Amino acid sequence: METKKETHQFKTEVQQMLNLIINSLYSNKDIFLRELISNASDAIDKVRYKAETEPGILGDDTELKIHLKPDAIKQTFEISDNGIGMTYDEVLENIGTIAKSGTAAFMEALEQAKGHETLIPELIGQFGVGFYSAFMVADKITLLTRAAGASADQAVLWTSSGDGTFNIETTEKATRGTTITLELKKKDKEEKDYTDQWVIRNIVKQHSDFVSYPITMEVERDEPLPDEEIIKDKDDKPIGATTRKVMREETLNSMKAIWTRSASEVKDEEYEEFYKHLSHDWNAPMERIHLKFEGTTEYYALLYIPSKAPFDLFTPERRHGIHLYSKRVFIMDDCKELMPEYFRFVKGVVDASDLNLNVSREILQQDRLVINIRKNLLKKLFDLLEKMEPEKYNTFYDEFGPVLKEGVYTDPTRKEKIAALTRYKTTKSADKWVSLDEYVKNMAADQKEIYYITGDKLSSLLNSPHLEKLKEKDYEVLLMTDPVDEWVVQSLTEYDGKPLKSAEKGDLDLDTVDDAKKEAYNALFGFIKGQLEENIKEVKPSSRLKDSVSCLSGDAWDMSAYMEKLLKASGQKAPEVKRVLELNMDHPVVEKIKSLYESDRDNPVLKDYSQLLFDMAVVAEGGKLDNPARFPKWWVT
């Protein structure tokens, strides 16, 4: 085979990220080993799964394990596995470029975490940069790998000192898998020695005890000498050494599949450590569910609700947190079929013994066992959230509320159940969450509808002119400030038999309009409509305003101002929808304009006043004026 050797520059953003890792001293450098072990475990998972459909791929190398080899003399640390390995192109793609999680976001978070070293392990895990964490302890990293199914001369050697470049070349390797060698940095007296077997033992026990494969290391032991080799005196008593130093391979981790054990046998600390190993999240989980289902089929489930939302919760490439196993054989780590999108923050393991290992993802979606597991897991999650203490649930909702609300419009069969879990700030409770059940319970005796308003700022919504008459009647209004709420209200048209009604759309029917007074204003309203016909479709007396002079509203099925703003912000073209200009007939300004109109209909200032009323309505709802410079001039004139 023709040899290949290349030198590459790290991408600029990757080099910046490496500089932050290499040149910053963090108190918890142990995580480099956790990350390398996790990567090795993933590689073995993949080859083990592949062997289910390609039995010959393992060859004679069937004892799957991760081996650690510290060398105090050379000051090196080596970790090797006999997993799936990588091809030349895969090394280029996976090593030397950062994961899709986002380089810029990682660097920003890392900079912010300076001085708060306990945050670093969480960031390393969250952003998918585990391999690079080895540069915290290494001056140089060498990676030797051979992909499963490749010949010995198709191996790949990758080396870098983190100095801006890396070398990659084809080489030879006798066995399948990957070996990573770290040439360790010179340590200070206070720093840990990563060639010390007891340091390594403690790190593995703390971070990787639950890895499903043996993590082995050659350790020195004192073993008794055979009797015939012991020198004895005339009384048959030893007069020399009775033991000798020998090197033995020892397994450092328990390899207990924690999910298969009885919940009563597992300690809280074990649950927490397994969660950290599974999720790479340094925070303790908020809640957990440990289940064993028995019947016509049997499966285990261990689910966790994190205490903090990950940074990439809303990114399109976000991976789900459910790992699927069958009889402890890894199937996939991104099992969307077991958990809907609105629960994508849930982490955990599901192990189903009767799962068909040969199914594709498309078939998996229709697998009866998978559908049954999904149904049961969702039931348990809903039960957990419904019974959670209010204070704890509010903490959960602060982190994951916007995600949970997605289920209202994506899961019609559970729409009501999810809606019951939603929480909102309101005009009567701007500092705490209110459930829809609480809202309905507190409704005024004459109130027939659930009122809401959408927007991006709580303070703006609280002071919206659209709410003036509702507040006067002591009607509570839901203040919806999440973009997802615009889709929620399209699906959730009623709750507990009470229709949901927008405070800014349709006729609120709060008061009877004085027909005689309306008749007196018709001519003025017609004039104003004529001046603003490019912007509005109607001018009418307001059923919303009490103190403000004007506001913009829409018909019941029109797009809200906030939805239009969201579409434009995302680069989409919002449909052209003219809105209604509502005027407060009891406001002195409107009365004065009416008086001027009736005395001097040709006065050019009336056109300016028409524009002023429109501009005031736009500003009141937090909109942007086409000509902002014009607005201050009104107050001068």
Side-chain angles (χ1 to χ4, degrees), residues 421-523:
L421 291 170
T422 63
R423 300 290 186 269
Y424 291 99
K425 304 294 175 64
T426 75
T427 48
K428 293 184 178 182
S429 179
D431 58 347
K432 65 177 182 178
W433 293 116
V434 172
S435 69
L436 293 180
D437 287 324
E438 290 173 310
Y439 179 97
V440 171
K441 182 180 178 181
N442 295 330
M443 283 174 62
D446 62 339
Q447 184 180 343
K448 297 180 176 60
E449 295 163 312
I450 298 172
Y451 294 101
Y452 70 88
I453 186 169
T454 60
D456 55 359
K457 290 183 180 179
L458 188 67
S459 58
S460 297
L461 295 184
L462 269 172
N463 297 296
S464 171
H466 295 93
L467 310 184
E468 290 175 355
K469 279 290 182 71
L470 290 168
K471 289 178 179 178
E472 183 183 34
K473 286 187 168 291
D474 200 32
Y475 289 173
E476 191 171 16
V477 182
L478 301 174
L479 307 175
M480 298 184 169
T481 55
D482 286 326
V484 68
D485 289 324
E486 284 288 353
W487 285 267
V488 169
V489 294
Q490 291 180 34
S491 300
L492 191 69
T493 55
E494 66 172 46
Y495 184 81
D496 195 20
K498 307 290 191 299
L500 268 72
K501 189 171 185 62
S502 171
E504 63 169 325
K505 294 193 296 181
D507 195 338
L508 296 186
D509 296 322
L510 297 176
D511 289 314
T512 303
V513 176
D514 186 330
D515 289 335
K517 194 168 187 177
K518 179 182 176 183
E519 183 71 24
Y521 274 86
N522 277 345

Side-chain angles (χ1 to χ4, degrees), residues 315-334:
T315 56
E317 63 269 19
R318 167 76 182 167
R319 296 175 70 83
H320 280 221
I322 304 300
H323 293 217
L324 179 62
Y325 284 76
S326 180
K327 298 178 184 177
R328 294 179 62 177
V329 175
F330 172 77
I331 306 301
M332 62 181 71
D333 62 358
D334 184 27

Side-chain angles (χ1 to χ4, degrees), residues 194-326:
Y194 293 111
T195 64
D196 185 301
Q197 65 160 300
W198 294 106
V199 170
I200 295 168
R201 283 175 183 274
N202 289 335
I203 295 173
V204 171
K205 184 67 179 176
Q206 181 179 1
H207 299 299
S208 306
D209 194 47
F210 303 109
V211 171
S212 301
Y213 308 103
I215 302 171
T216 64
M217 182 172 65
E218 295 286 336
V219 297
E220 189 177 69
R221 290 180 178 172
D222 287 325
E223 290 189 356
L225 284 168
D227 191 65
E228 62 271 16
E229 295 184 19
I230 299 175
I231 302 173
K232 302 177 181 179
D233 60 16
K234 61 181 180 179
D235 296 322
D236 203 32
K237 292 182 179 181
I239 58 175
T242 59
T243 62
R244 62 183 171 188
K245 301 285 186 184
V246 294
M247 298 299 293
R248 291 282 187 265
E249 187 174 78
E250 183 177 318
T251 299
L252 307 181
N253 59 320
S254 68
M255 291 181 292
K256 294 176 182 176
I258 191 172
W259 60 88
T260 64
R261 293 160 57 188
S262 169
S264 61
E265 298 175 359
V266 185
K267 298 177 182 178
D268 289 342
E269 307 87 75
E270 293 179 289
Y271 278 123
E272 187 171 321
E273 285 305 323
F274 180 70
Y275 168 76
K276 290 177 180 179
H277 164 70
L278 183 75
S279 66
H280 295 229
D281 181 359
W282 211 243
N283 298 294
M286 180 181 293
E287 283 285 1
R288 65 173 182 261
I289 299 174
H290 189 179
L291 304 164
K292 179 181 179 181
F293 294 92
E294 294 179 301
T296 54
T297 187
E298 180 179 291
Y299 52 92
Y300 301 90
L302 177 54
L303 306 182
Y304 295 92
I305 294 179
S307 56
K308 296 290 183 183
F311 81 100
D312 58 349
L313 189 58
F314 292 97
T315 56
E317 63 269 19
R318 167 76 182 167
R319 296 175 70 83
H320 280 221
I322 304 300
H323 293 217
L324 179 62
Y325 284 76
S326 180

Side-chain angles (χ1 to χ4, degrees), residues 145-162:
T145 186
R146 173 182 163 187
S151 60
D153 62 353
Q154 291 178 316
V156 183
L157 182 68
W158 181 99
T159 59
S160 178
S161 299

